[in-house]
């Protein structure tokens, strides 16, 4: 009778959310690389709008499906908190937790940002990231050239969420009205949304990780002047971004009104681009908006 002897060095656990071939989880790298390549192709893009979000503030804007939006740091490092909604149906909104499970704790080129149930589809896909690890192709230009800090921190964070006045009140007893949650609330009110519509965020340009006790930590942003991240809108989007009152997080603390932290705060630039019609015909050939999930099982209810 044979016995099974466990290996002395068992293999590490595999990622829990792996898709079968052909799943929309797998972004076509040639397709999205071609979209990113239009940035350096003369007359391939038309600028639809550009604006700067001042330090410690927020703003919302719309992006049509099939267009590109870029977030950049023209004057140096600054963390931003990003929310997304379907512009035609704000009940469909960004789902940070499921994106973290499907993609990674920190996102970069070729990762998608996913919407909540029951829609469960890509809202946008990252097509370029000057700070990213680049997955298998290429390496990040920070973190000793491989996009990871000495403490294991990575950029464009999905582990944490927005700072908010309720947390500050609980932790310190203080009141401050310009946390990212509050900035996002003010930004979306003119679009008919409410505080309850603001949700967990993608923290762009933010480096975070978990320490040996599993506790969340943040590090100073590595962004330099004109670092950027670009997204391709897979549907009509309403976006909102807060320029975090923690600035680049090099002087982070809950006393958000402190002079030192204010000195680390900078603007974030937003640009929205459309592809020229002839370029769309070539680069976007065959592309269409992803349909909501076709699950029809009624959750077992008869």
């Amino acid at each position: 009778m044979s016995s099974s002897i466990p290996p002395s060095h068992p293999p590490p656990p595999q990622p829990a959310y792996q898709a079968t071939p052909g799943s929309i989880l797998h972004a076509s790298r040639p397709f999205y690389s071609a979209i990113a390549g239009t940035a350096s192709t003369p007359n391939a893009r038309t600028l639809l709008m550009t604006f700067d979000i001042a330090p410690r503030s927020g703003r919302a804007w719309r992006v049509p499906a099939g267009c590109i939006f870029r977030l950049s740091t023209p004057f140096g490092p600054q963390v931003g908190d990003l929310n997304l909604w379907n512009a035609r149906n704000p009940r469909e909104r960004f789902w940070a937790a499921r994106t973290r499970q499907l993609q990674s704790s920190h996102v970069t080129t070729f990762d998608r940002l996913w919407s909540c149930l029951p829609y469960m589809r890509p809202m946008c896909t990252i097509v370029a990231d000057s700070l990213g690890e680049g997955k298998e192709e290429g390496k990040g230009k920070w973190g000793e050239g491989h996009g990871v800090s000495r403490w294991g921190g990575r950029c464009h964070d999905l582990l944490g969420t927005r700072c908010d006045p309720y947390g500050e009140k609980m932790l310190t007893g203080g009141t401050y009205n310009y946390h990212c949650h509050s900035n996002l609330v003010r930004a979306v009110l003119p679009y008919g949304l409410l505080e309850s519509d603001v949700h967990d965020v993608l923290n762009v340009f933010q480096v975070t990780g978990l320490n040996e006790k599993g506790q969340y930590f943040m590090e100073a942003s590595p962004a330099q002047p004109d670092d950027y991240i670009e997204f391709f809108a897979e549907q009509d989007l309403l976006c909102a971004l807060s320029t975090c009152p923690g600035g680049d997080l090099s002087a982070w603390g809950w006393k958000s009104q402190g002079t030192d932290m204010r000195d680390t705060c900078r603007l974030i630039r937003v640009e929205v681009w459309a592809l020229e019609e002839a370029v769309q015909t070539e680069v976007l050939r065959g592309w269409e908006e992803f349909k909501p999930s076709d699950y029809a099982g009624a959750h077992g209810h008869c």
Side-chain angles (χ1 to χ4, degrees):
M1 181 175 181
S2 63
S3 61
S4 176
I5 301 175
S8 56
H9 298 288
Q14 295 300 302
Y17 284 75
Q18 297 192 69
T20 56
S23 166
I24 61 173
L25 179 60
H26 304 299
S28 168
R29 298 188 176 207
F31 175 77
Y32 292 104
S33 295
I35 293 173
T38 62
S40 57
T41 303
N43 304 316
R45 295 183 179 185
T46 298
L47 184 64
L48 300 181
M49 71 172 78
T50 182
F51 55 88
D52 294 337
I53 302 179
R56 297 188 161 191
S57 68
R59 182 164 171 178
W61 70 98
R62 289 190 172 98
V63 182
C67 291
I68 299 151
F69 69 97
R70 172 184 287 209
L71 308 177
S72 64
T73 54
F75 299 110
Q78 170 64 43
V79 166
D81 289 47
L82 179 67
N83 265 190
L84 302 172
W85 298 262
N86 183 302
R88 289 167 283 141
N89 172 22
R91 288 195 175 189
E92 181 176 9
R93 64 190 194 182
F94 173 51
W95 191 5
R98 182 48 54 86
T99 300
R100 183 170 63 244
Q101 290 177 315
L102 292 174
Q103 306 291 176
S104 182
S105 62
H106 301 77
V107 291
T108 186
T109 312
F110 306 124
D111 285 331
R112 304 190 193 275
L113 305 188
W114 293 79
S115 66
C116 62
L117 302 180
Y119 310 98
M120 191 61 198
R121 57 176 170 167
M123 302 189 78
C124 60
T125 301
I126 300 172
V127 297
D129 175 13
S130 65
L131 288 169
E133 297 173 71
K135 301 300 181 184
E136 288 82 7
E137 291 98 6
K139 301 292 182 181
K141 67 180 183 181
W142 69 281
E144 300 180 355
H146 54 80
V148 183
S149 78
R150 61 178 295 197
W151 308 111
R154 299 171 187 267
C155 199
H156 305 313
D157 161 59
L158 283 173
L159 288 172
T161 189
R162 61 211 182 276
C163 56
D164 66 83
Y166 308 99
E168 171 143 0
K169 190 70 174 177
M170 180 272 294
L171 290 167
T172 72
T175 296
Y176 181 65
N177 296 321
Y178 299 93
H179 284 295
C180 288
H181 178 82
S182 300
N183 294 344
L184 291 169
V185 171
R186 294 195 314 276
V188 301
L189 288 177
Y191 291 84
L193 301 186
L194 304 173
E195 179 179 0
S196 57
D197 291 304
V198 173
H199 49 277
D200 282 349
V201 300
L202 168 61
N203 290 306
V204 294
F205 307 119
Q206 182 168 329
V207 173
T208 67
L210 301 175
N211 67 16
E212 67 280 358
K213 295 182 179 180
Q215 296 169 313
Y216 182 71
F217 68 80
M218 303 185 296
E219 300 183 60
S221 173
Q224 298 299 309
D226 293 321
D227 271 322
Y228 64 90
I229 183 169
E230 276 195 346
F231 304 82
F232 176 76
E234 305 282 4
Q235 58 183 245
D236 291 335
L237 294 175
L238 174 64
C239 309
L241 184 78
S242 165
T243 44
C244 183
D248 63 15
L249 300 184
S250 62
W252 166 254
W254 276 104
K255 293 189 178 298
S256 307
Q257 302 91 330
T259 301
D260 288 344
M261 201 168 356
R262 212 164 24 237
D263 292 342
T264 73
C265 293
R266 302 171 182 86
L267 62 82
I268 289 180
R269 180 161 295 161
V270 176
E271 298 164 274
V272 179
W273 300 85
L275 297 178
E276 287 294 329
E277 186 173 351
V279 177
Q280 289 185 39
T281 302
E282 178 182 352
V283 175
L284 300 186
R285 184 183 297 115
W287 172 82
E288 60 181 4
E289 181 176 330
F290 290 102
K291 301 293 189 291
S293 172
D294 59 359
Y295 167 76
H299 309 292
H301 178 73
C302 297

